[in-house]
Amino acid sequence: MTALQITAVQRNEPRAADACCTSAGAPVLGSEEAQGKAHLFKALADPNRLRLLSIVKASDGGEACVCDLTEPLGLGQPTVSHHLKILVDAGLLHRQKRGTWAYYSLVPGALERTAGVLATL
């Protein structure tokens, strides 16, 4: 704590960090909401996962088999499956099992909601 902050505490004044959050009257992002949004951004923070989203979106019928996703990325099936699971857990992709293969498609509206997340900060 700086000398100025200590003086403010001694006088019972709000610190600058406390005051800045409420001075504009705008809603403040809560801890749980911030964690949820961070989870989404962490899922998008990997170039391979961004490529997977792009490939799935551009695929015929808007879906892609996991068997078709390993070659474009140059990664093994376990690694691709791990990235896909992260995207599913983040609510960006939907997984449908058909026989021995899993097919992935974009969750309707997921990209639009993701784009709107920053606007709500």
Side-chain angles (χ1 to χ4, degrees), residues 43-57:
L44 294 170
D46 184 278
N48 289 314
R49 292 194 281 268
L50 289 175
R51 290 188 66 208
L52 284 167
L53 284 172
S54 176
I55 293 167
V56 170
K57 184 178 178 186

Side-chain angles (χ1 to χ4, degrees), residues 2 12-13 15 18-19 33 37-39 52-53 61 64-65 69 71 75 81 83 98 101 107 111 121:
T2 68
N12 229 8
E13 296 174 0
R15 293 188 311 216
D18 296 332
E33 188 178 6
K37 290 181 181 196
H39 178 72
L52 284 167
L53 284 172
C65 177
L69 297 172
E71 187 179 325
L75 299 172
S81 291
H83 287 304
R98 294 186 206 149
W101 297 110
V107 171
L111 295 181
L121 291 180

